[in-house]
């Protein structure tokens, strides 16, 4: 690579960062790290109409949670600042002037009503070489008129003068060469006097140039802007240092065709935002991966594989492994279906890698939420509980439904199993079981199991019915970890107490 790798993630603070934006940030980060380059976070807030308070903090918090580290940015500082576009007005003004001075742009005074009239008069109206000669701009008005309009404070825009009939080539590292004829492009607005701010296109390429960006890695939705950007680089005389373009494939609906949207998440029950978002205007709350119980490592791993593959079937990869393996050559051009079920599988897999003691700590807030004071239980107890049930969970929250019986005695008994297992002889059998258990000096799983099973076989009892009735009384339902591991942890007194309660409360179904 001939120039130092410098990439940027350039979100607009118009709301919560969408999961697709997170993937863009991640790919930029992986590429930067892999090439010993720099990752820049630039806040593109030139659209004052769409600015949403809190969105910038949200972006920072989300990237930090995911472990996507920023080298240069608003918070981090850096030699190419400011990194927030609303603080770079002077720079843009100067660059707009450069284009005007070189006749690569012009000033246009057309009012919204005039533009509307042009549009209704010509259904395919486009402000370009074929129409600009009949509009109110510095190409059709005299220099004096232009000056006096500006002096009078008339609002104007600066438009890019696009020369028609040229093939513009965008060389994209994923998509290859894309050629577009300049005649289809309109004279894009680059600057608006009304708010003294540039539009996205101008600010974006001026900053990419000044910040010495080597690769522009962004979502495919920006591909249509790329030819215009190529022309802007050329107009400024920067073609030699133009960044390489990399347009990432779209994230698609998990089912069917089309772009992934928030509605898909609501419909199918998965978040499309990294963190929970509280909309400051509507008060609406949108769920986030963090609050839904995902581990950041699982989210990163899941997203990394939506549009890229390592060239083999490795699925579980840490951030360091992703950095080592990532390559633009293995990014696909086709859209990636957002397989959220796979996301759950990743979370399941990552939870299995968390050591039991740590998982036990993560379980504490869940216990609290369900009215159980975690301080009433030793860390050792909690650790043993999670080690027994973690194989069944996708989320930390799932620990509760799989392990609640370790903390509270069942008060309800699964009806289906009562009907099947609590045969009329069960109360009697359970009484005998109590006396057997009481007689045990060693209540460990290894010691209790052969004694109880021996009693069942020696007396010709029904193994399935007796063991399930036992489980029903202790757990409340016929599922869960190995029965004697449960009773070992609950202890003799608690186990017996529960069987007694079962005899008392479970009514056999005739
Ligand atoms: N501000 C644009 C966005 O919100 C940046 C697009 C780009 O990366 O050029 O996505």
């Amino acid at each position: 690579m001939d120039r130092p790798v410098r990439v940027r993630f350039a979100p607009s603070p118009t709301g919560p960062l969408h999961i697709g934006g997170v993937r863009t940030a991640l790919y930029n980060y992986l590429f930067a790290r892999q090439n010993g380059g720099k990752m820049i976070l630039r806040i593109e807030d030139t659209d004052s109409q769409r600015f949403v308070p809190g969105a910038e903090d949200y972006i920072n918090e989300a990237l930090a949670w995911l472990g996507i580290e920023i080298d240069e940015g608003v918070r981090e500082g850096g030699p190419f600042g400011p990194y927030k576009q609303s603080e770079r007005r002077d720079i843009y003004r100067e660059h707009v002037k450069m284009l005007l001075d070189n006749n690569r742009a012009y000033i246009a005074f057309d009012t919204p009503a005039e533009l509307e009239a042009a549009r209704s008069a010509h259904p395919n109206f486009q402000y370009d070489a074929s129409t600009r000669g009949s509009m109110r701009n510095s190409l059709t008005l005299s220099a004096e008129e232009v000056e006096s309009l500006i002096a009078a404070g008339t609002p104007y825009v600066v438009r890019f003068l696009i020369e028609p009939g040229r093939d513009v080539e965008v060389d994209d590292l994923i998509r290859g060469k894309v050629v577009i004829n300049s005649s289809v492009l309109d004279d894009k607005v680059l600057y608006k006097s009304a708010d003294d701010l540039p539009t996205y296109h101008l600010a974006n390429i001026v900053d990419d140039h000044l910040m010495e960006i080597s690769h522009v890695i962004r979502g495919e939705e920006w591909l249509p802007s790329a030819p215009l950007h190529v022309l802007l680089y050329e107009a400024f005389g920067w073609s030699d240092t133009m960044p390489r373009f990399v347009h990432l494939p779209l994230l698609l609906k998990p089912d069917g065709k089309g772009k992934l949207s928030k509605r898909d998440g609501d419909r199918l029950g998965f978040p499309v935002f990294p963190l929970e978002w509280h909309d400051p205007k509507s008060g609406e709350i949108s769920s986030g991966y963090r609050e839904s119980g995902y581990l950041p490592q699982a989210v990163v791993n899941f997203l990394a594989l939506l549009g890229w593959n390592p060239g083999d079937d490795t699925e579980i990869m840490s951030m360091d492994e992703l950095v080592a393996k990532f390559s633009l050559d293995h990014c696909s051009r086709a859209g990636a279906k957002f397989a959220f079920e796979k996301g759950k599988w990743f979370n399941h897999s990552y939870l299995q890698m968390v050591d039991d003691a740590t998982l036990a700590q993560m379980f504490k807030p869940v216990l609290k939420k369900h009215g159980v004071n975690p301080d009433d239980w030793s860390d050792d107890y909690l650790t043993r509980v999670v080690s027994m049930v973690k194989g069944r969970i996708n989320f930390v929250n799932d620990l509760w439904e799989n392990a609640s019986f370790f903390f509270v005695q069942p008060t309800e008994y699964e009806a289906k199993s009562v009907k099947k297992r609590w045969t009329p002889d069960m109360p009697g059998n359970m009484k005998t079981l109590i006396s057997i258990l009481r007689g045990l000096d060693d209540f460990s799983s290894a010691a209790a199991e052969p004694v109880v099973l021996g009693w069942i076989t020696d007396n010709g009892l029904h193994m399935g019915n007796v063991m399930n009735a036992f489980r029903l009384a202790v757990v409340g339902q016929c599922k869960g970890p190995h029965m004697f591991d449960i009773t070992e942890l609950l202890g003799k007194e608690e186990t017996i107490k529960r069987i007694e309660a079962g005899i008392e409360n479970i009514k056999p179904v005739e």
Side-chain angles (χ1 to χ4, degrees), residues 125-145:
F125 178 82
Q126 174 166 282
Y127 209 121
D128 62 13
S130 67
T131 57
R132 64 171 84 103
S134 57
M135 304 300 288
R136 274 196 338 127
N137 54 48
S138 57
L139 305 172
T140 57
L141 303 171
S142 71
E144 295 73 44
E145 274 175 295

Side-chain angles (χ1 to χ4, degrees), residues 414-428:
E414 194 180 47
K416 192 175 77 204
S417 305
V418 169
K419 185 165 182 211
K420 187 163 174 206
R421 308 295 189 179
W422 202 266
T423 45
D425 56 335
M426 267 325 147

Side-chain angles (χ1 to χ4, degrees), residues 64 114 133 218 294 298 308 322 354 364 394:
E114 283 164 348
R218 62 185 172 191
Y294 282 83
W308 168 81
L322 290 170
V354 175
K364 287 183 175 181
N394 288 336

Side-chain angles (χ1 to χ4, degrees), residues 80-358:
F80 297 87
Y83 291 89
K84 189 187 287 202
Q85 290 188 327
S86 58
E87 293 169 10
R88 299 171 64 82
R89 288 171 195 258
D90 293 350
I91 299 171
Y92 305 128
R93 236 181 260 127
E94 187 188 309
H95 283 83
V96 168
K97 189 169 177 310
M98 276 161 68
L99 291 178
L100 286 171
D101 290 349
N102 294 326
N103 298 321
R104 307 304 296 254
Y106 60 94
I107 292 172
F109 296 100
D110 315 274
T111 62
E114 283 164 348
L115 289 169
E116 201 38 60
R119 272 187 215 109
S120 47
H122 314 274
N124 295 321
F125 178 82
Q126 174 166 282
Y127 209 121
D128 62 13
S130 67
T131 57
R132 64 171 84 103
S134 57
M135 304 300 288
R136 274 196 338 127
N137 54 48
S138 57
L139 305 172
T140 57
L141 303 171
S142 71
E144 295 73 44
E145 274 175 295
V146 171
E147 235 165 75
S148 72
L149 281 168
I150 292 176
T154 317
Y156 65 89
V157 298
V158 173
R159 287 182 180 271
F160 188 34
L161 186 100
I162 292 190
E163 199 187 303
R166 279 193 46 201
D167 279 340
V168 186
E169 200 175 285
V170 178
D171 195 4
D172 186 283
L173 290 178
I174 293 180
R175 317 192 64 90
K177 275 197 199 346
V178 180
V179 181
I180 273 194
N181 194 280
S182 64
S183 299
V184 305
L185 304 173
D186 63 339
D187 290 353
K188 274 275 171 314
V189 172
L190 301 178
Y191 169 87
K192 290 188 245 131
S193 72
D195 50 12
D196 183 28
L197 276 171
T199 57
Y200 155 74
H201 302 289
L202 182 95
N204 187 266
I205 78 118
V206 165
D207 287 350
D208 282 348
H209 173 73
L210 295 178
M211 294 180 184
E212 296 177 9
I213 299 303
S214 63
H215 296 76
V216 165
I217 304 175
R218 62 185 172 191
E220 191 181 84
E221 63 273 27
W222 300 100
L223 184 60
S225 302
L228 174 73
H229 294 188
V230 168
L231 290 175
L232 274 167
Y233 279 105
E234 189 190 281
F236 278 114
W238 299 335
S239 296
D240 288 351
T241 54
M242 187 168 72
R244 304 302 308 270
F245 287 109
V246 183
H247 288 95
L248 303 175
L250 284 179
L251 292 184
L252 305 175
K253 295 180 187 309
D255 53 349
K257 290 211 173 77
K259 209 176 145 197
L260 174 72
S261 73
K262 176 161 151 40
R263 251 166 300 142
D264 299 318
D266 295 342
R267 182 167 58 87
L268 299 166
F270 62 89
V272 297
F273 302 120
L275 316 178
E276 192 170 272
W277 168 254
H278 297 241
D279 190 280
K281 268 209 205 109
S282 67
E284 189 197 345
I285 296 177
S286 305
S287 66
Y289 277 84
R290 182 176 65 184
E291 291 73 13
S292 301
Y294 282 83
L295 298 173
Q297 298 87 332
V299 177
V300 161
N301 196 156
F302 169 51
L303 287 180
L305 288 167
L306 290 176
W308 168 81
N309 68 78
D312 55 35
D313 9 309
T314 319
E315 290 194 293
I316 300 292
M317 285 167 279
S318 66
M319 188 71 101
D320 286 347
E321 285 166 314
L322 290 170
V323 166
K325 292 187 176 186
F326 186 75
S327 115
L328 295 173
D329 295 342
H330 279 121
C331 286
S332 69
R333 294 168 59 161
K337 266 198 195 322
F338 194 79
F340 67 100
E341 289 294 347
K342 189 78 190 187
K344 288 187 194 167
W345 176 82
F346 273 108
N347 208 54
H348 167 84
S349 306
Y350 274 84
L351 281 170
Q352 307 314 305
M353 293 187 258
V354 175
D355 68 274
D356 295 341
T358 307

Side-chain angles (χ1 to χ4, degrees), residues 356-381:
D356 295 341
T358 307
L359 201 51
Q361 295 305 316
M362 293 159 77
F363 189 22
K364 287 183 175 181
V366 180
L367 286 169
K368 229 181 246 163
K369 202 167 77 195
H370 289 279
V372 171
N373 181 359
D375 301 336
D376 292 347
W377 307 86
S378 70
D379 281 350
D380 179 54
Y381 187 88

